[in-house]
Amino acid sequence: MWGKVSFLIVTLSVLIQDPVLVTVSEEILLIFPEAPVVKSGEAVELTCVSQCPSGRPRWEKTIDLAPGKEIPSHSKTLLRIDKVLEAYEADYKCTITCAGKFSSKEVFLTVYSFPHSPKVELQSLNPVSGQTITLQCSARDLYPCHNINVLWYHNFEVFETQKAEPIWNSGLTCNVISRVNYKTSTRSRDLTFTCQLRLGLNSVGFREQNSSLELHLYNGLHNIWIEPTHTVKRVGDLLSISCSADGDPLPTITWRKVGSGTRTTQHWNITGAHGRSTLFIHELRAQDGGVYICKISSGANSTDRQSSVEVWYGPRNVSIDGGGSARDSEALALTCHGDANPEPNITWRRTDPSAQRRWNISRSRGESELRIDSLRPDDHGIYECVVENKLGEVRLTAQVDVEYGPRNVSIDGGGSARDSEALALTCCGDANPEPNITWRRTDPSALRRWNISRSRGESELRIDSLRPDDHGIYECVVENKLGEVRLTAQVDVEYEGDDAFSHGF
């Protein structure tokens, strides 16, 4: 009996000495804070407290980098990190061995980076009432990046919410940019826009920062446009240019063309109402090309918009200069002019392609010159100038006459002939101007029986019945203003004498 009582007393004393064995349902380890959230760059202290008097708690290192310093004591241990980095976000484990039994507890350290307030900027230049303006909100060096939201407020009322897409930096942090468009009213003057950026931190809620922007809108001309700003038309086409603007008071619109002063051309037709005006030209002319100015006025405010009009037309005002007569070995210059849009191509042609090898051709805008430095007789002929673009072509010709003295001169006939026979001498020669061909002999009395016929570049001297006194030297003269060539032919008249046929000189 006494033995049983002694056993109960010993057991009770052990239970009193070790409370863990008494309160088995109570946690052995406690960690403070229970859900730590720390901003990158700041310090944090994690405290692990033991409920077991016989055990000492310790922090285990659960990440590759082992940040911080552990400060142990009998019943608790402190893990201090002086500067938290994004890479330190992880589970941290505290362990203990109590009465031979191993126990542990973990805490997740949440790290975030939100070093700067969001920046709100206006992307639209010189905003005025009634315009749609563009706003931008940006923030940098954020962490974590998986759940970032941007809320936009106008005068404290939400008008747009966006899930921001992160732009990653080289490390773990990211930047975000949010852009929104807001249509102002014509009565809007002073506006306030606020950007609220929320950084989602899983179960621990949000970290958020706000920035605001005040706008003071100008109530003047806006929504100004002109169409088209550039156009290409053909002669005879319809042209339509429209110009419009909003403003208070309602804008007035006038038109002018650069280079024509302020007057309105008579063939313009202009319509307009409610801040819009349209200029019509029903049949374009070549001279209608140019820059058209739309002047918009509203009260003391005014501005200009311009439209460039290009009018295409085929060749016109085409001319060719030069040609006519020139002498052999002189220089020749032919010039061809033509106006067209698009700019014309000017070419030269002749029926004899071989002569073109000595042509020197130069070109400038709307003009071409053909030059031959030293003319030859075969350069004479008709030269054609072709002025063309995609809308048509014009052809002009120039006659070139190359003047030269007699050449290729020859005389045929002569020699011996009998008394009473007929004689024919032919003289040929080429020249420009056409040569004059004449015949001569020392005895002019013989000329009376000559029959002379002429054709271009040729002359024939004919004596139907020779007589002894027709013997002698006959001279052919081929000449024009540039020179002459003389050729001779000997004629021997054979006649019957007392003894035999003989001839005289």
Side-chain angles (χ1 to χ4, degrees):
M1 182 64 181
W2 174 249
K4 292 181 179 179
V5 173
S6 299
F7 174 75
L8 291 174
I9 294 173
V10 172
T11 302
L12 181 60
S13 64
V14 171
L15 291 175
I16 294 173
Q17 290 178 5
D18 196 343
V20 174
L21 299 179
V22 178
T23 58
V24 293
S25 62
E26 186 176 339
E27 284 189 280
I28 297 176
L29 296 175
L30 300 176
I31 296 179
F32 303 100
E34 296 181 352
V37 178
V38 185
K39 186 177 182 179
S40 176
E42 295 183 349
V44 66
E45 290 184 350
L46 302 178
T47 303
C48 182
V49 179
S50 170
Q51 300 296 306
C52 175
S54 63
R56 291 190 175 186
R58 297 295 303 271
W59 287 101
E60 280 193 4
K61 300 176 176 65
T62 58
I63 58 176
D64 293 338
L65 292 175
K69 179 180 180 182
E70 186 175 4
I71 305 173
S73 62
H74 178 72
S75 61
K76 67 179 182 179
T77 182
L78 177 69
L79 178 63
R80 177 173 179 80
I81 304 174
D82 292 326
K83 185 178 180 180
V84 173
L85 303 177
E86 290 83 4
Y88 296 168
E89 184 175 75
D91 286 310
Y92 290 78
K93 181 187 291 186
C94 181
T95 63
I96 192 172
T97 301
C98 181
K101 183 179 179 181
F102 177 81
S103 298
S104 66
K105 186 172 184 178
E106 293 182 350
V107 65
F108 185 78
L109 175 63
T110 298
V111 181
Y112 74 94
S113 174
F114 207 157
H116 312 288
S117 297
K119 184 179 181 180
V120 185
E121 299 172 287
L122 178 66
Q123 300 293 292
S124 305
L125 297 177
N126 303 318
V128 297
S129 299
Q131 277 186 327
T132 296
I133 60 174
T134 301
L135 302 163
Q136 176 177 292
C137 179
S138 60
R140 55 190 179 89
D141 301 326
L142 304 176
Y143 181 86
C145 300
H146 61 275
N147 187 19
I148 300 175
N149 287 283
V150 181
L151 283 75
W152 285 93
Y153 296 85
H154 167 233
N155 295 341
F156 308 106
E157 293 184 4
V158 176
F159 71 90
E160 186 156 344
T161 302
Q162 293 188 350
K163 172 73 174 176
E165 294 296 331
I167 304 169
W168 296 93
N169 296 327
S170 57
L172 296 175
T173 62
C174 65
N175 303 335
V176 295
I177 295 177
S178 171
R179 292 187 181 91
V180 294
N181 295 322
Y182 185 85
K183 179 69 168 72
T184 66
S185 71
T186 55
R187 293 183 296 276
S188 299
R189 296 295 182 272
D190 301 322
L191 303 174
T192 300
F193 295 94
T194 300
C195 170
Q196 182 184 79
L197 197 148
R198 288 186 173 184
L199 193 64
L201 299 175
N202 298 329
S203 60
V204 298
F206 292 94
R207 290 294 184 272
E208 59 188 34
Q209 293 191 47
N210 301 336
S211 290
S212 297
L213 177 69
E214 291 186 0
L215 295 183
H216 305 285
L217 302 182
Y218 174 67
N219 185 29
L221 292 170
H222 54 277
N223 293 338
I224 304 168
W225 58 266
I226 188 170
E227 285 291 339
T229 57
H230 176 76
T231 187
V232 176
K233 297 285 187 178
R234 297 189 178 190
V235 168
D237 285 352
L238 168 69
L239 174 68
S240 172
I241 308 174
S242 294
C243 186
S244 178
D246 293 331
D248 186 12
L250 192 67
T252 60
I253 298 175
T254 58
W255 293 90
R256 66 182 176 89
K257 184 172 178 282
V258 173
S260 65
T262 58
R263 62 185 178 83
T264 300
T265 306
Q266 293 181 353
H267 65 293
W268 291 5
N269 184 16
I270 298 174
T271 63
H274 307 295
R276 175 169 180 157
S277 179
T278 301
L279 183 152
F280 295 98
I281 299 178
H282 292 286
E283 291 189 9
L284 280 171
R285 303 176 302 187
Q287 57 267 35
D288 290 323
V291 177
Y292 290 77
I293 304 295
C294 160
K295 183 176 181 62
I296 307 162
S297 302
S298 175
N301 306 307
S302 66
T303 187
D304 291 346
R305 292 294 185 270
Q306 66 180 34
S307 175
S308 173
V309 177
E310 184 176 354
V311 180
W312 283 5
Y313 50 91
R316 62 175 190 169
N317 303 327
V318 178
S319 64
I320 189 168
D321 299 324
S325 297
R327 292 189 177 185
D328 188 16
S329 300
E330 287 185 344
L332 169 71
L334 300 176
T335 305
C336 189
H337 308 266
D339 174 32
N341 192 22
E343 182 180 346
N345 182 40
I346 302 178
T347 56
W348 294 91
R349 296 176 186 171
R350 235 195 90 192
T351 53
D352 181 6
S354 63
Q356 299 177 13
R357 297 173 185 169
R358 296 184 297 107
W359 292 1
N360 296 312
I361 296 177
S362 60
R363 294 181 175 88
S364 60
R365 183 175 181 86
E367 180 177 300
S368 178
E369 181 186 76
L370 183 155
R371 184 175 183 84
I372 301 175
D373 294 325
S374 180
L375 284 170
R376 298 190 310 205
D378 58 353
D379 288 321
H380 74 276
I382 297 176
Y383 290 73
E384 183 180 55
C385 161
V386 182
V387 183
E388 60 185 335
N389 68 3
K390 64 177 66 178
L391 300 183
E393 69 174 33
V394 175
R395 298 170 178 262
L396 293 181
T397 59
Q399 175 73 46
V400 174
D401 290 324
V402 181
E403 297 181 344
Y404 50 92
R407 63 174 186 168
N408 303 324
V409 177
S410 65
I411 189 168
D412 297 323
S416 297
R418 293 185 177 185
D419 185 21
S420 300
E421 287 184 347
L423 170 70
L425 298 177
T426 304
C427 186
C428 304
D430 176 30
N432 189 26
E434 183 180 347
N436 182 37
I437 303 176
T438 58
W439 295 91
R440 295 178 186 171
R441 237 195 87 192
T442 54
D443 181 5
S445 63
L447 300 177
R448 298 170 185 171
R449 294 183 299 108
W450 291 0
N451 295 312
I452 297 175
S453 61
R454 294 181 177 86
S455 61
R456 183 176 181 85
E458 181 178 301
S459 179
E460 182 185 75
L461 183 154
R462 185 175 181 85
I463 302 174
D464 293 328
S465 179
L466 285 170
R467 296 188 312 199
D469 58 353
D470 288 322
H471 73 274
I473 298 174
Y474 289 74
E475 184 182 56
C476 164
V477 182
V478 182
E479 61 183 336
N480 68 3
K481 63 182 179 181
L482 301 180
E484 68 174 29
V485 175
R486 296 171 179 266
L487 293 179
T488 60
Q490 174 73 46
V491 176
D492 293 327
V493 180
E494 298 178 347
Y495 58 93
E496 185 176 355
D498 293 337
D499 298 320
F501 286 99
S502 63
H503 62 273
F505 295 92

